Structure formats: structure tokens, C-alpha cells
Amino acid sequence: MSILQKTLALITAMVGIATGCTNGVVSVPDGSGTTDSGAAEVITGRTKVDPSAITYASSYSFEKLSYGGVEKKEHNSLVEAETAELNAGVVLKTDKAGYSGEGYVDISDNKAFSMTVDIPASQYYKITVRHCAGSHKENPLIFNGLKAMDIVSENGDWVETTVDGIFLEKGSNKITLGDGWSWFSLDSIRIENGEPISDSIYDGIDDTLCNPYANLKTQNIYQYLKAVYGKRVLAGQCTDYGNNTETDALYLGLRKYPAVRTFDFIYDSMSFCDGSPKAKDVDLAIQWSNDGGLVVYDWHWYAPYDRCAFYTDDTAFSLANAVTDEDIAMADTAALVEMYNSGRISAEAYNIMLDIDNISALMQRMEDAGVTVMWRPLHEASGGWFWWGASGADAYKWLWKLMYHRMTDYHQLDNLIWVWNAQDPDWYPGDEYCDISATDIYNQAYDYGTSPDLLADMSGWSGSQKKLVTMSECATMPDPELIVRDNAYWLWFAVWNWDFIVKNGTTELSDAYTSFDMMKKVYNSDVIITRDELPDFNG
């Protein structure tokens, strides 16, 4: 039975459940489960790619670019926060014991905070911020318009947060705070000699994909990504569902396409499309791949039922209720129906399987068309604002592994490169379930910084097998000069769609976040790879 047949059988069997009914009995349509005899039959007939056919990373030669503007001078200074400009939003206090200097400042308005420090040499520094708050707070610390770090405070005593490898220019440096939560206390900022990101973070990347049966094109793409990593950055762009607005705008304005385009299954969730996915992005992804581009796929997954939405606050769907010890990843339609009817699995689990099978059918269409997909499901989970993260790390990891086994082992999809984007190391599902680690970075408008501290930190999030690290969403394009200076070679960056790159949904570029000059600089830089510079993976 094909993936499409399996999906249609599940759709038919799910009548009544998808609307939120959780205690009905469902039946399998005639013949829907008769051709599957279980996992043993499903996994037969697979062969691995001949290793001699693969174009390995060592076949490529990318020269490492270097930055020559570094001075060397010893420095260690403590900047007291009370020397900032005091006003209604930045108030001097001495109430909380343990501060240094003459006091500290309570900050209720980030826009009101400003101070200036003199830096003796243009070099890398380690910055340590001493702070506290009455509850969880997150506030960006900015040097000369570029974010240096996020100050993350919890309820408690004074704590220190340190980042290394921050490049500061010689002379007067303005320190401000970016858009954040405010309402925290700042005691001091220590600035001392630091070290840039080590080249070692780009070494020792896992040799193979987590799916040993990945097809030849998919393995060749992965090897190319390995060759690029640490030496170049792929230009990427997220696009609106069902159209080419953003990529058309980039080509009209810059005469180049991004190397990577991010698509979305957002309107193909079964609950949203009433069981009939339009799959508009699938056709576009096939065309993009045929034209030589690399494909990333997200899934803003509308909850399978019970107020269908992807934001936690907008649905009553509970992932915790879906978690089961039953081996549903390898169960055929008849087995899933029996498990549900007998009460062995919940309606939540059953509906999740319907949606995964639906998306698997769309993935199969792309594999049949020769498309490799860098698959980024269940994104930003640790934030809790999406339902797939609202039940905690254990439930999330259960769902990730279920999806991996269902798509890789049951449906035998061999065109996927798995991109993990939960954004917290405690949510990592394991090396055997992931090929690329990703995070989303939303700098303020015209902040073209590269977040080297986060890249270095994320390089240690995986287990014994190091993974490629990428910036899967961003607000602004990173400055190529800063990429080289900071040694911060994210695998790719992907600017978010609509207002972040175009004006009012048109094909006219917008400079609301990235200036036109910076766009031109990025898309014409030797550091950045655009679509026209990619190898021919379709040959």
C-alpha cells in the first residue's frame, strides 16, 4: 500500500475523531489494512547507496577567509552600571545587598538605558554582566548597534552572565539595551581580553546522515554542506505559502536568488485543510529544486483537533495526552484503528499519526520528483508557545522520535536531512535523530551582528557526534565582514518572510530591517553563496 493509500485510509477511518470526538469507535475501510503485514514487510527491499558514488566533502576546496584588523592589548575594566545616564527608566538603587561600586540601577525602560565606555584596542573581548531580577527576564545587551549577548535573569540573587569572542572597536563604544522585557537590575559590566571562536567548532562534524538509507542526492547535498561549513555561509530566505513573492523580489532587486529557500506545510495540516491538502508549496519546492536551489521545509502544525491552531494559547490539544508506550511508529492502519478502539492509544495519538502520514505523502511526492528536503519540524519548541512544546521536553522528544521513525522507517523517506530547532540542549532528541542543529535569531532592525557566542555554544549541544549548526530564521542579514571577523559561519541564514524582506506582500524589497546597501553587500560577497553558485545536484 502506498503512502497516499495509507493516508486516505486513515482519513476515512478518522471521520468523527478529527472534529474532536474522543470516545467513538472507528472502522477500517475495506482493504485499507489488508496489504500491510507489519513492520517486517515495510522495511524490506531497502538498499544503501554505494559509497563510491558519493561526492564527499573532501572533493570541494573552499579557502578559509581571515580578518586582519585585530590588535593585541591587555585590558580589564569594570564598568559600574550606576555611571549610566539616570532617568525615570533607569534609577539608582542601593536596596539589594551585594552590589559593587556605589549602587546598581533598576531598569524599567530599556530604551532609556545608555552609557559609554572607552575601548583601548580593536580586538576580541570577554564580557561579564552582573544582574538580577524578580522573575524570568530576557534583555539584549548592545554595543554600537550590534547585540553582544542576551541577559537572561531569574528570580534570585545577583548572577553573572559571560560571553567571549565579542569584537569591539578601539575608541568610544556606546552600550544600550535592545527591545526586551525590562524590569531587571544591572550592577556592572566587566570587559577583559577574550578569544575569538575557535576553528575547532567546525571540525569533526558527523560523517553521515542519521538515516543510513538516505538517497544519493541527499547524501551529496549533506557532503556539500559539510564542505561549506566554517568557510562560507549560504544565503537563505523564508517565503510566504503558495507564492514566490520574496524570492522574486530578491531577484528583481539584486539579480540573484538565495541558495536556500524555506517552505512551510502550514496550510496542509489535516485539521486546517479538512483532509484535502492543497500542497501549494510542494509544487513550488519541486520547481525550486529543479532550478538548482536547496529546499528547507517548516511545519506550523495546526493541532489535529480541539480548537485547531498551532499556538498553545489558541488550542486545547495536549501532546501529553498523546504520549504512549505502544509502538505506533510502525503500525499499519488496521493496527492503529484497533489500538484506538481498544483504548490502548488516545485520540490525540491517533490524530497525530494521521497528520504525520499526510505530510509523509507530500514528502513522498517530493522524493519521487528528486527533491531533497532539509526537514525542520517542531521548531522553537522550548519556548512553549507552540503546542508541540507546551507539554515539556520529554513529550516533545517522544514526538520527535515518533515522527522520525514513522517517516524514515515506516514510510521509508530517504530524501530528508533532519534539522532540530527546539533551541535548548535539554530538548535534544539524540544524535541518531538529527543532522543539523538550528536556532532562530531576531536582531533589531539594522543589527547585522553574527551572534558568535551562540554559535559556539550550540556547537556543544549535540552528543558525541558534532552537528552542523544553522540560523534557521532571522530578522536581518548578517554582515559578511562580521562573519569573517567573528569567525561565525552559520551554515545558512534565512530571513523571515513578508515585512522582514518585502513591502506589503509585493515583489518590492523592503529596507525595514536590512538596508538595501547591506542586501547588495551580502548577495555580492565572496563569503555568501547564492543559488547560481551551487553545484548541480540534479545531474
Side-chain angles (χ1 to χ4, degrees), residues 72 120 222 282 345 434 526:
K72 293 286 186 179
Y222 178 70
V282 171
I345 63 173
C434 168
D526 291 339

Side-chain angles (χ1 to χ4, degrees), residues 220-300:
N220 281 340
I221 287 175
Y222 178 70
Q223 292 297 323
Y224 175 76
L225 296 178
K226 280 188 60 181
V228 167
Y229 191 51
K231 299 179 178 69
R232 298 291 186 275
V233 175
L234 298 163
Q237 182 61 52
C238 302
T239 53
D240 188 34
Y241 182 84
N243 63 67
N244 297 316
T245 301
E246 290 81 5
T247 49
D248 283 351
L250 286 166
Y251 188 78
L252 288 170
L254 306 174
R255 309 311 296 175
K256 289 189 177 184
Y257 289 109
V260 177
R261 177 173 172 179
T262 299
F263 299 87
D264 203 330
F265 287 121
I266 181 170
Y267 300 129
D268 300 318
S269 302
M270 299 303 292
S271 61
F272 185 89
C273 66
D274 294 326
S276 181
K278 303 297 186 293
K280 291 182 179 180
D281 264 13
V282 171
D283 295 330
L284 293 177
I286 292 171
Q287 185 61 57
W288 181 261
S289 177
N290 288 341
D291 289 340
L294 296 175
V295 172
V296 174
Y297 242 106
D298 297 346
W299 188 11
H300 283 83

Side-chain angles (χ1 to χ4, degrees), residues 53 89 97 188 227-228 308 342:
S188 63
V228 167
C308 303
S342 65

Side-chain angles (χ1 to χ4, degrees), residues 415-437:
N415 63 325
L416 306 183
I417 296 175
W418 287 76
V419 182
W420 171 77
N421 182 214
Q423 311 214 136
D424 187 311
D426 292 337
W427 293 58
Y428 186 61
D431 291 341
E432 65 271 38
Y433 302 103
C434 168
D435 300 307
I436 298 173
S437 294

Side-chain angles (χ1 to χ4, degrees), residues 227-500:
V228 167
Y229 191 51
K231 299 179 178 69
R232 298 291 186 275
V233 175
L234 298 163
Q237 182 61 52
C238 302
T239 53
D240 188 34
Y241 182 84
N243 63 67
N244 297 316
T245 301
E246 290 81 5
T247 49
D248 283 351
L250 286 166
Y251 188 78
L252 288 170
L254 306 174
R255 309 311 296 175
K256 289 189 177 184
Y257 289 109
V260 177
R261 177 173 172 179
T262 299
F263 299 87
D264 203 330
F265 287 121
I266 181 170
Y267 300 129
D268 300 318
S269 302
M270 299 303 292
S271 61
F272 185 89
C273 66
D274 294 326
S276 181
K278 303 297 186 293
K280 291 182 179 180
D281 264 13
V282 171
D283 295 330
L284 293 177
I286 292 171
Q287 185 61 57
W288 181 261
S289 177
N290 288 341
D291 289 340
L294 296 175
V295 172
V296 174
Y297 242 106
D298 297 346
W299 188 11
H300 283 83
W301 187 352
Y302 278 78
Y305 73 94
D306 212 347
R307 300 210 315 271
C308 303
F310 44 81
Y311 285 120
T312 301
D313 291 344
D314 296 331
T315 180
F317 187 86
S318 171
L319 176 58
N321 291 341
V323 176
T324 176
D325 292 331
E326 297 285 347
D327 184 14
I328 57 177
M330 298 301 294
D332 62 22
T333 304
L336 287 171
V337 170
E338 189 281 325
M339 288 179 189
Y340 174 72
N341 284 340
S342 65
R344 291 162 57 196
I345 63 173
S346 65
E348 287 87 350
Y350 198 20
N351 278 273
I352 278 174
M353 296 301 291
L354 170 67
D355 249 345
I356 294 175
D357 284 355
N358 161 50
I359 297 302
S360 295
L362 302 181
M363 287 292 197
Q364 186 65 63
R365 276 182 54 189
M366 287 188 280
E367 182 172 14
D368 292 343
V371 180
T372 288
V373 176
M374 291 184 278
W375 176 218
R376 177 184 166 245
L378 311 181
H379 65 289
E380 299 178 3
S382 64
W385 45 81
F386 296 128
W387 64 260
W388 51 85
S391 294
D394 289 341
Y396 163 84
K397 286 187 278 190
W398 171 86
L399 179 58
W400 181 278
K401 294 174 184 179
L402 170 67
M403 182 182 290
Y404 177 86
H405 286 300
R406 187 68 171 180
M407 300 181 85
T408 303
D409 299 329
Y410 184 78
H411 289 304
Q412 300 184 11
L413 292 165
D414 295 329
N415 63 325
L416 306 183
I417 296 175
W418 287 76
V419 182
W420 171 77
N421 182 214
Q423 311 214 136
D424 187 311
D426 292 337
W427 293 58
Y428 186 61
D431 291 341
E432 65 271 38
Y433 302 103
C434 168
D435 300 307
I436 298 173
S437 294
T439 194
D440 300 341
I441 300 174
Y442 280 84
N443 289 346
Q444 296 184 115
Y446 315 120
D447 179 346
Y448 311 123
T450 63
S451 300
D453 58 310
L454 182 54
L455 174 57
D457 190 32
M458 287 185 63
S459 298
W461 283 9
S462 59
S464 59
Q465 299 171 344
K466 289 175 68 175
K467 303 295 180 179
L468 302 167
V469 180
T470 197
M471 191 188 302
S472 45
E473 290 180 22
C474 57
T476 60
M477 297 180 187
D479 186 334
E481 286 187 39
L482 301 186
I483 290 172
V484 177
R485 187 197 72 182
D486 298 341
N487 196 24
Y489 290 88
W490 299 88
L491 182 57
W492 75 80
F493 67 85
V495 177
W496 192 241
N497 57 25
W498 268 73
D499 293 346
F500 287 89

